[in-house]
Amino acid sequence: MDVALVRGTTVQDHVALAEIELCGELIIAASAAGEERLSADRIDEVLNVSTDVERHLGEGLD
């Protein structure tokens, strides 16, 4: 059986790396949380997610 050697080739899946980073952020937030589970609002805050309504309201604050 012949095995091809891969030398110096780095393959990066940027989507997978971003997902891993987001999971890490959630794990950190969950470990620091006092409650048993993170609320949906806290998860959105950790992931920096906002609804269309929140974005629209935020535009008027400038």
Side-chain angles (χ1 to χ4, degrees), residues 6-28:
V6 178
R7 295 184 188 152
T9 303
T10 302
V11 177
Q12 291 186 359
D13 183 339
H14 297 286
V15 173
L17 292 173
E19 288 178 358
I20 292 167
E21 185 177 343
L22 292 174
C23 287
E25 294 295 328
L26 285 173
I27 291 168
I28 292 167

Side-chain angles (χ1 to χ4, degrees), residues 8 13 15-17 35-38 43 45 54:
D13 183 339
V15 173
L17 292 173
E35 60 272 3
E36 185 175 328
R37 295 181 179 211
L38 295 177
I43 291 171
E45 181 182 336
E54 290 171 335

Side-chain angles (χ1 to χ4, degrees), residues 34-51:
E35 60 272 3
E36 185 175 328
R37 295 181 179 211
L38 295 177
S39 68
D41 289 338
R42 179 67 179 129
I43 291 171
D44 287 348
E45 181 182 336
V46 169
L47 299 179
N48 198 25
V49 175
S50 62
T51 65

